[in-house]
Amino acid sequence: MLNKSDMIKQQNKTITGENIEKLSIKEKVGYGLGDTAANLVWRTLMVFLPFFYTDVFGISAAAVGTLLLVCRFWDGITDFLMGLISDRTNTRWGKFRPWILWTAFPFGILTVLTFTTPDLSYTGKLIYAYITYSGLVIVYTANNVPYSALTGVMSSDPLERTSLSSYRFFFAFLGGLITQGLNIYLVSFFGKGDDVLGYKYTMTLFAVISIILFLITFLSTKERVKVPVKQDTSMKQDFRDLMKNKPWIIIFFVGFLFVTMSTLKMGSIMFYFKYYVGNVGLAAWFMIFGSLAAMLGAALTKKFTLLFGKKNTINYCFTLVMVTSGLLFFARPDNIVIIFVLSLLTEFAAGPIITLFFAMLADTADYSEWKNKRRATGLVFSAGTLAIKLGSGIAGATTGWMLMLFGYTANIAQSAETLLGIRLLISVLPAITAILAIVVFRFYKIDEQLIERIQQELKSRQVGATQ
């Protein structure tokens, strides 16, 4: 009798057939570097931007919370628009690849402007922050929605997509590792005591690297999965199909809760180490080891999927995040080893979750085509960046408002009440969010058997359309 791992492998061979082209390691690495580029900046926004706005630029915590919520909420709406636009883009490079090229330089320029601090009045600073930050996240949308959609069109093989997603998030966490591990030191090196200059020059460096990596991704990838023959281009019907796609709706909310959970933790790290632990220098090592653990988790996702299946892997990982995050609340400032070990376990579990989130979005795109005989890959994958925007927006706003509620004032010793708020942000709130994600994910019904059936029928349709 075949065990579960062998069954999934055999199903995948049946699904894909011998004529499905396997992706080369070179192409997978090239694709993954695109998320290294994005995360050099996006992870900086998630981890350092609240701290930068409050402690460097001089904006109040409450105003920062509102800014993050407003900008990311309205920008999240543009994700659906970008999905529709990219689905209707037709160039000699494909539908999605050209957007990586077109947005590379605007992304770099707006990154530098976001971390530039002109000498303005308080109101002027707020206006400047709203303009530059909202501009950056809009360009991020125009880049990342098509980039994410590439997962669904570079291969139709479910295991190849999982492998591709593993490469993507290995390199995404690499980008996070670079910025989280080096940001504090680069700011000190470039600024020489002036954090304003330090952040500006550090982000200029990251912006240049991001542009180069985006160009590599554009040049090294290829789109293979095409839309069904004679498909109409009704936007209204695309939205109807999406709203009837129950697996997509569930995956969207799971992604939203995951990003909320992650951003709550990451956005409070600097405050936690500066004010609770009392050693901000440890924050860099905390983030370095966490990123390495996440990279390992992402790299092992395909193996976990073969052993347990996608659904069980996500459930196990969310459970681990729930337990380790909750336990962190009880760590004392001098329990450095415990703090680091709990973080390693949390981030290790986060690696497979985000990897499988995007792999399963591709499954929901196939499900929609199977049900409706129409494909809208870009629109389906807009759930990825929409979940990121809304989740990070809610978490960013919660961070700012919680700090205000618990009496936070920048650059002074914090009260016991404020320290309690910081501890809740990094531990209890992420644990509660993980519980909610587990509950929502119980309603997801696509498993390996259904994927096998969907792929077989889609393949039969494609063969019939060519005859």
mmCIF file with all atom_site columns, all heavy atoms in Angstrom, residues 366-384:
data_model
loop_
_atom_site.group_PDB
_atom_site.id
_atom_site.type_symbol
_atom_site.label_atom_id
_atom_site.label_alt_id
_atom_site.label_comp_id
_atom_site.label_asym_id
_atom_site.label_entity_id
_atom_site.label_seq_id
_atom_site.pdbx_PDB_ins_code
_atom_site.Cartn_x
_atom_site.Cartn_y
_atom_site.Cartn_z
_atom_site.occupancy
_atom_site.B_iso_or_equiv
_atom_site.pdbx_formal_charge
_atom_site.auth_seq_id
_atom_site.auth_comp_id
_atom_site.auth_asym_id
_atom_site.auth_atom_id
_atom_site.pdbx_PDB_model_num
ATOM 1   N N   . ASP A 1 366 ? -7.262  27.536 -10.558 1.00 0.00 ? 366 ASP A N   1
ATOM 2   C CA  . ASP A 1 366 ? -7.646  26.347 -11.322 1.00 0.00 ? 366 ASP A CA  1
ATOM 3   C C   . ASP A 1 366 ? -9.085  25.949 -11.004 1.00 0.00 ? 366 ASP A C   1
ATOM 4   O O   . ASP A 1 366 ? -9.850  25.554 -11.894 1.00 0.00 ? 366 ASP A O   1
ATOM 5   C CB  . ASP A 1 366 ? -6.709  25.190 -10.985 1.00 0.00 ? 366 ASP A CB  1
ATOM 6   C CG  . ASP A 1 366 ? -5.310  25.395 -11.528 1.00 0.00 ? 366 ASP A CG  1
ATOM 7   O OD1 . ASP A 1 366 ? -5.132  26.255 -12.407 1.00 0.00 ? 366 ASP A OD1 1
ATOM 8   O OD2 . ASP A 1 366 ? -4.399  24.699 -11.053 1.00 0.00 ? 366 ASP A OD2 1
ATOM 9   N N   . TYR A 1 367 ? -9.452  26.044 -9.731  1.00 0.00 ? 367 TYR A N   1
ATOM 10  C CA  . TYR A 1 367 ? -10.822 25.705 -9.317  1.00 0.00 ? 367 TYR A CA  1
ATOM 11  C C   . TYR A 1 367 ? -11.836 26.595 -10.029 1.00 0.00 ? 367 TYR A C   1
ATOM 12  O O   . TYR A 1 367 ? -12.870 26.117 -10.507 1.00 0.00 ? 367 TYR A O   1
ATOM 13  C CB  . TYR A 1 367 ? -10.929 25.875 -7.795  1.00 0.00 ? 367 TYR A CB  1
ATOM 14  C CG  . TYR A 1 367 ? -12.313 25.633 -7.233  1.00 0.00 ? 367 TYR A CG  1
ATOM 15  C CD1 . TYR A 1 367 ? -12.735 24.354 -6.891  1.00 0.00 ? 367 TYR A CD1 1
ATOM 16  C CD2 . TYR A 1 367 ? -13.193 26.697 -7.025  1.00 0.00 ? 367 TYR A CD2 1
ATOM 17  C CE1 . TYR A 1 367 ? -14.001 24.129 -6.362  1.00 0.00 ? 367 TYR A CE1 1
ATOM 18  C CE2 . TYR A 1 367 ? -14.462 26.485 -6.503  1.00 0.00 ? 367 TYR A CE2 1
ATOM 19  C CZ  . TYR A 1 367 ? -14.861 25.212 -6.178  1.00 0.00 ? 367 TYR A CZ  1
ATOM 20  O OH  . TYR A 1 367 ? -16.113 24.997 -5.662  1.00 0.00 ? 367 TYR A OH  1
ATOM 21  N N   . SER A 1 368 ? -11.534 27.888 -10.127 1.00 0.00 ? 368 SER A N   1
ATOM 22  C CA  . SER A 1 368 ? -12.439 28.818 -10.799 1.00 0.00 ? 368 SER A CA  1
ATOM 23  C C   . SER A 1 368 ? -12.570 28.488 -12.281 1.00 0.00 ? 368 SER A C   1
ATOM 24  O O   . SER A 1 368 ? -13.668 28.496 -12.839 1.00 0.00 ? 368 SER A O   1
ATOM 25  C CB  . SER A 1 368 ? -11.945 30.258 -10.615 1.00 0.00 ? 368 SER A CB  1
ATOM 26  O OG  . SER A 1 368 ? -12.811 31.170 -11.250 1.00 0.00 ? 368 SER A OG  1
ATOM 27  N N   . GLU A 1 369 ? -11.443 28.183 -12.927 1.00 0.00 ? 369 GLU A N   1
ATOM 28  C CA  . GLU A 1 369 ? -11.495 27.821 -14.345 1.00 0.00 ? 369 GLU A CA  1
ATOM 29  C C   . GLU A 1 369 ? -12.276 26.525 -14.541 1.00 0.00 ? 369 GLU A C   1
ATOM 30  O O   . GLU A 1 369 ? -13.054 26.389 -15.492 1.00 0.00 ? 369 GLU A O   1
ATOM 31  C CB  . GLU A 1 369 ? -10.076 27.661 -14.895 1.00 0.00 ? 369 GLU A CB  1
ATOM 32  C CG  . GLU A 1 369 ? -10.037 27.312 -16.377 1.00 0.00 ? 369 GLU A CG  1
ATOM 33  C CD  . GLU A 1 369 ? -8.631  27.119 -16.911 1.00 0.00 ? 369 GLU A CD  1
ATOM 34  O OE1 . GLU A 1 369 ? -7.665  27.422 -16.177 1.00 0.00 ? 369 GLU A OE1 1
ATOM 35  O OE2 . GLU A 1 369 ? -8.503  26.648 -18.060 1.00 0.00 ? 369 GLU A OE2 1
ATOM 36  N N   . TRP A 1 370 ? -12.088 25.577 -13.643 1.00 0.00 ? 370 TRP A N   1
ATOM 37  C CA  . TRP A 1 370 ? -12.789 24.292 -13.711 1.00 0.00 ? 370 TRP A CA  1
ATOM 38  C C   . TRP A 1 370 ? -14.298 24.488 -13.578 1.00 0.00 ? 370 TRP A C   1
ATOM 39  O O   . TRP A 1 370 ? -15.090 23.895 -14.312 1.00 0.00 ? 370 TRP A O   1
ATOM 40  C CB  . TRP A 1 370 ? -12.245 23.394 -12.603 1.00 0.00 ? 370 TRP A CB  1
ATOM 41  C CG  . TRP A 1 370 ? -12.927 22.073 -12.431 1.00 0.00 ? 370 TRP A CG  1
ATOM 42  C CD1 . TRP A 1 370 ? -13.016 21.054 -13.342 1.00 0.00 ? 370 TRP A CD1 1
ATOM 43  C CD2 . TRP A 1 370 ? -13.585 21.609 -11.247 1.00 0.00 ? 370 TRP A CD2 1
ATOM 44  N NE1 . TRP A 1 370 ? -13.698 19.991 -12.816 1.00 0.00 ? 370 TRP A NE1 1
ATOM 45  C CE2 . TRP A 1 370 ? -14.059 20.292 -11.524 1.00 0.00 ? 370 TRP A CE2 1
ATOM 46  C CE3 . TRP A 1 370 ? -13.826 22.153 -9.994  1.00 0.00 ? 370 TRP A CE3 1
ATOM 47  C CZ2 . TRP A 1 370 ? -14.752 19.539 -10.569 1.00 0.00 ? 370 TRP A CZ2 1
ATOM 48  C CZ3 . TRP A 1 370 ? -14.504 21.398 -9.046  1.00 0.00 ? 370 TRP A CZ3 1
ATOM 49  C CH2 . TRP A 1 370 ? -14.967 20.117 -9.337  1.00 0.00 ? 370 TRP A CH2 1
ATOM 50  N N   . LYS A 1 371 ? -14.706 25.364 -12.651 1.00 0.00 ? 371 LYS A N   1
ATOM 51  C CA  . LYS A 1 371 ? -16.113 25.600 -12.394 1.00 0.00 ? 371 LYS A CA  1
ATOM 52  C C   . LYS A 1 371 ? -16.768 26.472 -13.466 1.00 0.00 ? 371 LYS A C   1
ATOM 53  O O   . LYS A 1 371 ? -17.902 26.228 -13.894 1.00 0.00 ? 371 LYS A O   1
ATOM 54  C CB  . LYS A 1 371 ? -16.288 26.285 -11.029 1.00 0.00 ? 371 LYS A CB  1
ATOM 55  C CG  . LYS A 1 371 ? -16.224 25.352 -9.844  1.00 0.00 ? 371 LYS A CG  1
ATOM 56  C CD  . LYS A 1 371 ? -17.521 24.566 -9.694  1.00 0.00 ? 371 LYS A CD  1
ATOM 57  C CE  . LYS A 1 371 ? -17.564 23.777 -8.410  1.00 0.00 ? 371 LYS A CE  1
ATOM 58  N NZ  . LYS A 1 371 ? -18.822 23.026 -8.247  1.00 0.00 ? 371 LYS A NZ  1
ATOM 59  N N   . ASN A 1 372 ? -16.049 27.511 -13.898 1.00 0.00 ? 372 ASN A N   1
ATOM 60  C CA  . ASN A 1 372 ? -16.663 28.552 -14.719 1.00 0.00 ? 372 ASN A CA  1
ATOM 61  C C   . ASN A 1 372 ? -16.187 28.580 -16.164 1.00 0.00 ? 372 ASN A C   1
ATOM 62  O O   . ASN A 1 372 ? -16.698 29.377 -16.962 1.00 0.00 ? 372 ASN A O   1
ATOM 63  C CB  . ASN A 1 372 ? -16.390 29.923 -14.083 1.00 0.00 ? 372 ASN A CB  1
ATOM 64  C CG  . ASN A 1 372 ? -16.860 29.984 -12.647 1.00 0.00 ? 372 ASN A CG  1
ATOM 65  O OD1 . ASN A 1 372 ? -18.015 29.722 -12.359 1.00 0.00 ? 372 ASN A OD1 1
ATOM 66  N ND2 . ASN A 1 372 ? -15.961 30.345 -11.739 1.00 0.00 ? 372 ASN A ND2 1
ATOM 67  N N   . LYS A 1 373 ? -15.171 27.744 -16.488 1.00 0.00 ? 373 LYS A N   1
ATOM 68  C CA  . LYS A 1 373 ? -14.599 27.705 -17.836 1.00 0.00 ? 373 LYS A CA  1
ATOM 69  C C   . LYS A 1 373 ? -14.017 29.066 -18.249 1.00 0.00 ? 373 LYS A C   1
ATOM 70  O O   . LYS A 1 373 ? -13.997 29.417 -19.423 1.00 0.00 ? 373 LYS A O   1
ATOM 71  C CB  . LYS A 1 373 ? -15.641 27.231 -18.871 1.00 0.00 ? 373 LYS A CB  1
ATOM 72  C CG  . LYS A 1 373 ? -16.131 25.818 -18.634 1.00 0.00 ? 373 LYS A CG  1
ATOM 73  C CD  . LYS A 1 373 ? -17.118 25.379 -19.709 1.00 0.00 ? 373 LYS A CD  1
ATOM 74  C CE  . LYS A 1 373 ? -17.487 23.918 -19.565 1.00 0.00 ? 373 LYS A CE  1
ATOM 75  N NZ  . LYS A 1 373 ? -18.109 23.600 -18.262 1.00 0.00 ? 373 LYS A NZ  1
ATOM 76  N N   . ARG A 1 374 ? -13.570 29.824 -17.269 1.00 0.00 ? 374 ARG A N   1
ATOM 77  C CA  . ARG A 1 374 ? -12.921 31.120 -17.484 1.00 0.00 ? 374 ARG A CA  1
ATOM 78  C C   . ARG A 1 374 ? -11.778 31.228 -16.486 1.00 0.00 ? 374 ARG A C   1
ATOM 79  O O   . ARG A 1 374 ? -11.879 30.740 -15.371 1.00 0.00 ? 374 ARG A O   1
ATOM 80  C CB  . ARG A 1 374 ? -13.902 32.292 -17.268 1.00 0.00 ? 374 ARG A CB  1
ATOM 81  C CG  . ARG A 1 374 ? -15.137 32.211 -18.135 1.00 0.00 ? 374 ARG A CG  1
ATOM 82  C CD  . ARG A 1 374 ? -16.118 33.315 -17.817 1.00 0.00 ? 374 ARG A CD  1
ATOM 83  N NE  . ARG A 1 374 ? -15.646 34.603 -18.336 1.00 0.00 ? 374 ARG A NE  1
ATOM 84  C CZ  . ARG A 1 374 ? -15.066 35.548 -17.620 1.00 0.00 ? 374 ARG A CZ  1
ATOM 85  N NH1 . ARG A 1 374 ? -14.851 35.378 -16.330 1.00 0.00 ? 374 ARG A NH1 1
ATOM 86  N NH2 . ARG A 1 374 ? -14.693 36.678 -18.171 1.00 0.00 ? 374 ARG A NH2 1
ATOM 87  N N   . ARG A 1 375 ? -10.684 31.889 -16.896 1.00 0.00 ? 375 ARG A N   1
ATOM 88  C CA  . ARG A 1 375 ? -9.525  32.012 -16.008 1.00 0.00 ? 375 ARG A CA  1
ATOM 89  C C   . ARG A 1 375 ? -9.174  33.480 -15.834 1.00 0.00 ? 375 ARG A C   1
ATOM 90  O O   . ARG A 1 375 ? -9.099  34.221 -16.810 1.00 0.00 ? 375 ARG A O   1
ATOM 91  C CB  . ARG A 1 375 ? -8.319  31.248 -16.569 1.00 0.00 ? 375 ARG A CB  1
ATOM 92  C CG  . ARG A 1 375 ? -7.148  31.167 -15.582 1.00 0.00 ? 375 ARG A CG  1
ATOM 93  C CD  . ARG A 1 375 ? -5.999  30.326 -16.132 1.00 0.00 ? 375 ARG A CD  1
ATOM 94  N NE  . ARG A 1 375 ? -4.977  30.131 -15.121 1.00 0.00 ? 375 ARG A NE  1
ATOM 95  C CZ  . ARG A 1 375 ? -4.934  29.119 -14.266 1.00 0.00 ? 375 ARG A CZ  1
ATOM 96  N NH1 . ARG A 1 375 ? -5.876  28.194 -14.317 1.00 0.00 ? 375 ARG A NH1 1
ATOM 97  N NH2 . ARG A 1 375 ? -3.986  29.021 -13.364 1.00 0.00 ? 375 ARG A NH2 1
ATOM 98  N N   . ALA A 1 376 ? -8.958  33.891 -14.570 1.00 0.00 ? 376 ALA A N   1
ATOM 99  C CA  . ALA A 1 376 ? -8.548  35.266 -14.256 1.00 0.00 ? 376 ALA A CA  1
ATOM 100 C C   . ALA A 1 376 ? -7.449  35.195 -13.205 1.00 0.00 ? 376 ALA A C   1
ATOM 101 O O   . ALA A 1 376 ? -7.648  35.498 -12.034 1.00 0.00 ? 376 ALA A O   1
ATOM 102 C CB  . ALA A 1 376 ? -9.722  36.085 -13.760 1.00 0.00 ? 376 ALA A CB  1
ATOM 103 N N   . THR A 1 377 ? -6.271  34.750 -13.639 1.00 0.00 ? 377 THR A N   1
ATOM 104 C CA  . THR A 1 377 ? -5.176  34.492 -12.702 1.00 0.00 ? 377 THR A CA  1
ATOM 105 C C   . THR A 1 377 ? -4.778  35.744 -11.931 1.00 0.00 ? 377 THR A C   1
ATOM 106 O O   . THR A 1 377 ? -4.559  35.709 -10.720 1.00 0.00 ? 377 THR A O   1
ATOM 107 C CB  . THR A 1 377 ? -3.944  33.948 -13.464 1.00 0.00 ? 377 THR A CB  1
ATOM 108 O OG1 . THR A 1 377 ? -4.339  32.825 -14.252 1.00 0.00 ? 377 THR A OG1 1
ATOM 109 C CG2 . THR A 1 377 ? -2.862  33.520 -12.485 1.00 0.00 ? 377 THR A CG2 1
ATOM 110 N N   . GLY A 1 378 ? -4.659  36.863 -12.632 1.00 0.00 ? 378 GLY A N   1
ATOM 111 C CA  . GLY A 1 378 ? -4.245  38.095 -11.965 1.00 0.00 ? 378 GLY A CA  1
ATOM 112 C C   . GLY A 1 378 ? -5.225  38.519 -10.892 1.00 0.00 ? 378 GLY A C   1
ATOM 113 O O   . GLY A 1 378 ? -4.830  38.928 -9.797  1.00 0.00 ? 378 GLY A O   1
ATOM 114 N N   . LEU A 1 379 ? -6.516  38.426 -11.197 1.00 0.00 ? 379 LEU A N   1
ATOM 115 C CA  . LEU A 1 379 ? -7.531  38.820 -10.223 1.00 0.00 ? 379 LEU A CA  1
ATOM 116 C C   . LEU A 1 379 ? -7.498  37.899 -9.007  1.00 0.00 ? 379 LEU A C   1
ATOM 117 O O   . LEU A 1 379 ? -7.593  38.364 -7.867  1.00 0.00 ? 379 LEU A O   1
ATOM 118 C CB  . LEU A 1 379 ? -8.916  38.787 -10.870 1.00 0.00 ? 379 LEU A CB  1
ATOM 119 C CG  . LEU A 1 379 ? -10.073 39.278 -10.000 1.00 0.00 ? 379 LEU A CG  1
ATOM 120 C CD1 . LEU A 1 379 ? -9.864  40.727 -9.579  1.00 0.00 ? 379 LEU A CD1 1
ATOM 121 C CD2 . LEU A 1 379 ? -11.399 39.123 -10.743 1.00 0.00 ? 379 LEU A CD2 1
ATOM 122 N N   . VAL A 1 380 ? -7.358  36.605 -9.241  1.00 0.00 ? 380 VAL A N   1
ATOM 123 C CA  . VAL A 1 380 ? -7.285  35.655 -8.129  1.00 0.00 ? 380 VAL A CA  1
ATOM 124 C C   . VAL A 1 380 ? -6.075  35.960 -7.250  1.00 0.00 ? 380 VAL A C   1
ATOM 125 O O   . VAL A 1 380 ? -6.163  35.977 -6.016  1.00 0.00 ? 380 VAL A O   1
ATOM 126 C CB  . VAL A 1 380 ? -7.222  34.206 -8.663  1.00 0.00 ? 380 VAL A CB  1
ATOM 127 C CG1 . VAL A 1 380 ? -6.848  33.240 -7.546  1.00 0.00 ? 380 VAL A CG1 1
ATOM 128 C CG2 . VAL A 1 380 ? -8.564  33.806 -9.264  1.00 0.00 ? 380 VAL A CG2 1
ATOM 129 N N   . PHE A 1 381 ? -4.940  36.221 -7.868  1.00 0.00 ? 381 PHE A N   1
ATOM 130 C CA  . PHE A 1 381 ? -3.727  36.470 -7.090  1.00 0.00 ? 381 PHE A CA  1
ATOM 131 C C   . PHE A 1 381 ? -3.696  37.866 -6.476  1.00 0.00 ? 381 PHE A C   1
ATOM 132 O O   . PHE A 1 381 ? -2.851  38.139 -5.626  1.00 0.00 ? 381 PHE A O   1
ATOM 133 C CB  . PHE A 1 381 ? -2.482  36.244 -7.946  1.00 0.00 ? 381 PHE A CB  1
ATOM 134 C CG  . PHE A 1 381 ? -2.009  34.822 -7.924  1.00 0.00 ? 381 PHE A CG  1
ATOM 135 C CD1 . PHE A 1 381 ? -2.536  33.886 -8.792  1.00 0.00 ? 381 PHE A CD1 1
ATOM 136 C CD2 . PHE A 1 381 ? -1.054  34.415 -7.014  1.00 0.00 ? 381 PHE A CD2 1
ATOM 137 C CE1 . PHE A 1 381 ? -2.125  32.576 -8.768  1.00 0.00 ? 381 PHE A CE1 1
ATOM 138 C CE2 . PHE A 1 381 ? -0.626  33.099 -6.969  1.00 0.00 ? 381 PHE A CE2 1
ATOM 139 C CZ  . PHE A 1 381 ? -1.158  32.174 -7.852  1.00 0.00 ? 381 PHE A CZ  1
ATOM 140 N N   . SER A 1 382 ? -4.599  38.728 -6.886  1.00 0.00 ? 382 SER A N   1
ATOM 141 C CA  . SER A 1 382 ? -4.692  40.019 -6.207  1.00 0.00 ? 382 SER A CA  1
ATOM 142 C C   . SER A 1 382 ? -5.064  39.821 -4.742  1.00 0.00 ? 382 SER A C   1
ATOM 143 O O   . SER A 1 382 ? -4.820  40.709 -3.907  1.00 0.00 ? 382 SER A O   1
ATOM 144 C CB  . SER A 1 382 ? -5.732  40.911 -6.894  1.00 0.00 ? 382 SER A CB  1
ATOM 145 O OG  . SER A 1 382 ? -7.054  40.412 -6.717  1.00 0.00 ? 382 SER A OG  1
ATOM 146 N N   . ALA A 1 383 ? -5.629  38.667 -4.418  1.00 0.00 ? 383 ALA A N   1
ATOM 147 C CA  . ALA A 1 383 ? -5.917  38.347 -3.014  1.00 0.00 ? 383 ALA A CA  1
ATOM 148 C C   . ALA A 1 383 ? -4.653  38.347 -2.184  1.00 0.00 ? 383 ALA A C   1
ATOM 149 O O   . ALA A 1 383 ? -4.667  38.668 -0.997  1.00 0.00 ? 383 ALA A O   1
ATOM 150 C CB  . ALA A 1 383 ? -6.596  36.980 -2.915  1.00 0.00 ? 383 ALA A CB  1
ATOM 151 N N   . GLY A 1 384 ? -3.538  37.954 -2.824  1.00 0.00 ? 384 GLY A N   1
ATOM 152 C CA  . GLY A 1 384 ? -2.279  37.919 -2.091  1.00 0.00 ? 384 GLY A CA  1
ATOM 153 C C   . GLY A 1 384 ? -1.857  39.278 -1.600  1.00 0.00 ? 384 GLY A C   1
ATOM 154 O O   . GLY A 1 384 ? -1.644  39.488 -0.398  1.00 0.00 ? 384 GLY A O   1
#
